[in-house]
Amino acid sequence: LLINCHEAHLEIEVRDEERKADAISKIRTVDGVNGIVDFRGKEIVVLMYYEDHDSLARKVRQIESICGSQRLALWRGHSLVLTCR
């Protein structure tokens, strides 16, 4: 049971495609991550729960650090927050 948690989906690319499996393995250990969709190429979508904006920001920064790139898009609940490159 998750109380006072919100759902987010983070779309991101792994900078070095050869490290993708290792990056996914590390992302799975991030608190709140409950799934990863692995697309062909460098792109993945990380499904996660977060408590508040600060916890979401920390998780996104941690995953960006693991992937070596910045997010492509972030969906929170029913809203879409786009990051343009």
Side-chain angles (χ1 to χ4, degrees):
L1 179 62
L2 297 170
I3 299 173
N4 291 325
C5 284
H6 310 279
E7 185 177 7
H9 299 172
L10 173 66
E11 183 178 352
I12 193 165
E13 289 183 343
V14 177
R15 182 187 307 177
D16 182 0
E17 192 174 347
E18 293 175 3
R19 287 189 49 247
K20 189 175 182 184
D22 183 50
I24 288 172
S25 178
K26 290 178 182 176
I27 292 167
R28 287 188 195 283
T29 68
V30 174
D31 186 43
V33 171
N34 67 333
I36 298 173
V37 181
D38 182 3
F39 295 100
R40 288 186 183 184
K42 297 180 177 185
E43 192 173 330
I44 60 174
V45 174
V46 181
L47 315 172
M48 64 184 139
Y49 289 98
Y50 65 97
E51 298 79 29
D52 54 31
H53 278 328
D54 290 339
S55 71
L56 177 60
R58 281 191 304 276
K59 293 171 199 278
V60 169
R61 281 194 306 271
Q62 186 177 3
I63 294 168
E64 287 174 336
S65 175
I66 292 168
C67 291
S69 64
Q70 297 210 326
R71 69 182 181 215
L72 301 173
L74 177 63
W75 291 268
R76 293 183 307 215
H78 294 20
S79 63
L80 173 64
V81 179
L82 292 177
T83 303
C84 298
R85 293 184 186 198

